[in-house]
Amino acid sequence: MPQVKRSTISEIKSKVYAVDIFCGAGGLTNGLEKAGIDVLLGVDIDPACRFPYSYNNNAEFLLKSVEDLQVQDIEGVLPKEGIRLLAGCAPCQTFSKYNRKADQSDKRWWLLLEFLRLVRGVAPELVTMENVPELKKKNVFKDFVRELEDQGYHVSHSIVNCAEYGIPQERKRLVLLASKFGPIEILSPSVLGERIKTVREAIGDLPPLVAGEVHEEDPLHQCASLSELNLRRIRASRPGGTWRDWDEELITNCHKKASGKTYPGVYGRMSWDEPAPTITTQFFGYGNGRFGHPEQDRAISLREGAIFQTFPRDYMFTPPGEPIVKKTVGRLIGNAVPVKLGEVIGRSILHHLDVCKV
């Protein structure tokens, strides 16, 4: 049997292997893989994630709640040689500024501590997580950071604007990185050579659609139909404008009330020469935010939403030939970690290891 070269052994020992908890449709995994990190397993409780995650990525998918996930489930896939990364981007809805009803009685509030339980048991060399900025103020996050530090990790966390990293949407996120090798932090946009990318640059070359149409060559490039009233509304909307620009007869009753006057962003068109607004799980609905196409009289398509989340243009969310359910696919896209943010995290980790000469 031929001897293994030392260089090969060294490469194996310095290679990063990851498990992605709360993996969703695979945004973070896809980005980490683009950076050069070998993701071996993705875990999620949502069955709709299985196809897009497995089809578009090189990792296996495990349908399981993080509350039922055991340390051995993770250790069973991670090799004994190499550097281990545990990623855990817990559901953010309970901490979102748009969720005014959530509190500690929400089961999702404590999922970060379930992730901490797994970190404690696996003791990986590297940890990362991503969530909404509001989480930073919560005691559950402070406890998470404190416990990581007690376990010997160097921890950094910052709120980043995805638009500054070339992700074509205004999306602020809390990103945490932790390492047992030494101080670690996310690389800046200037170091990475990134710049702001506009709606035009992202989707300006896609084939036009009318409301309710499905493109024959790309079934994901489809948009919701509009009622006659909403068609009149979008025709009265200008890029970057609000419903306040409309004639009185087009304004909804709820916006005529004092409580509704503080929501100018709904029923709006995007602007060609600016990044898109934050892509939510409801982005395919014209009335759910500033999700109107800048020029065409329709809401943005599912494919356009995926592009704003920096998924590759050929990323598949449903098996070929199966019906595409907008609500389901919209949820998968809106909940995802933008692929490019995952790549930034991955590149930051590899840069850190290079600096630490690991």
Side-chain angles (χ1 to χ4, degrees), residues 101-316:
K101 296 181 180 179
D103 56 27
Q104 296 183 24
S105 66
D106 187 331
K107 182 179 176 181
R108 295 170 296 181
W109 190 281
W110 306 106
L111 290 179
L112 186 60
L113 297 186
E114 290 290 342
F115 178 52
L116 179 61
R117 169 181 63 84
L118 297 169
V119 171
R120 192 185 296 117
V122 176
E125 290 77 18
L126 299 162
V127 176
T128 186
M129 64 139 285
E130 179 259 21
N131 215 291
V132 292
E134 289 74 20
L135 175 62
K136 188 174 182 178
K137 304 172 186 176
K138 309 300 183 184
N139 287 334
V140 68
F141 178 72
K142 296 174 183 177
D143 292 343
F144 179 75
V145 172
R146 188 181 305 112
E147 176 70 15
L148 287 178
E149 292 173 340
D150 289 345
Q151 294 291 322
Y153 290 94
H154 298 263
V155 183
S156 73
H157 51 84
S158 57
I159 296 172
V160 303
N161 184 352
C162 291
E164 295 177 354
Y165 285 93
I167 298 164
Q169 63 169 304
E170 292 287 346
R171 190 184 191 96
K172 293 185 178 179
R173 305 298 286 184
L174 170 64
V175 177
L176 176 144
L177 294 170
S179 170
K180 288 191 172 181
F181 297 116
I184 184 173
E185 60 183 18
I186 192 166
L187 294 172
S188 69
S190 59
V191 168
L192 293 171
E194 299 292 354
R195 63 174 181 82
I196 290 177
K197 190 173 182 181
T198 67
V199 168
R200 189 187 305 276
E201 291 174 286
I203 66 166
D205 63 335
L206 264 65
L209 295 174
V210 298
E213 185 179 6
V214 180
H215 192 268
E216 59 181 9
E217 294 182 9
D218 180 7
L220 201 71
H221 188 36
Q222 61 169 273
C223 55
S225 58
L226 292 176
S227 67
E228 183 60 34
L229 179 58
N230 278 342
L231 190 58
R232 290 173 60 201
R233 285 169 172 160
I234 197 167
R235 286 172 176 166
S237 300
R238 58 181 178 81
T242 75
W243 51 263
R244 294 170 181 162
D245 303 321
W246 299 345
D247 292 338
E248 181 74 14
E249 62 180 10
L250 297 179
I251 298 175
T252 63
N253 290 331
C254 64
H255 289 139
K256 292 177 182 178
K257 298 177 182 178
S259 59
K261 293 185 178 181
T262 57
Y263 295 93
V266 297
Y267 290 99
R269 284 188 188 269
M270 296 180 181
S271 298
W272 274 127
D273 298 319
E274 296 177 4
T278 301
I279 298 301
T280 69
T281 59
Q282 301 292 322
F283 71 86
F284 54 88
Y286 165 56
N288 296 326
R290 193 178 295 281
F291 299 132
H293 189 277
E295 187 174 294
Q296 298 161 35
D297 295 334
R298 60 175 178 86
I300 60 170
S301 72
L302 293 174
R303 178 64 72 195
E304 288 165 335
I307 290 172
F308 289 133
Q309 285 280 62
T310 57
F311 281 102
R313 290 196 174 198
D314 59 353
Y315 207 90
M316 298 276 288

Side-chain angles (χ1 to χ4, degrees), residues 20-29 42-46 48-54 57 61 89 311 315 317 331-332 335-337:
D20 185 356
I21 314 296
F22 315 104
C23 67
L28 177 61
T29 287
V43 184
D44 206 284
I45 195 175
D46 185 355
C49 298
R50 182 187 295 277
F51 173 79
Y53 188 86
S54 299
N57 301 289
F61 178 82
C89 302
F311 281 102
Y315 207 90
F317 290 88
R331 182 182 77 245
L332 294 178
N335 280 337
V337 176

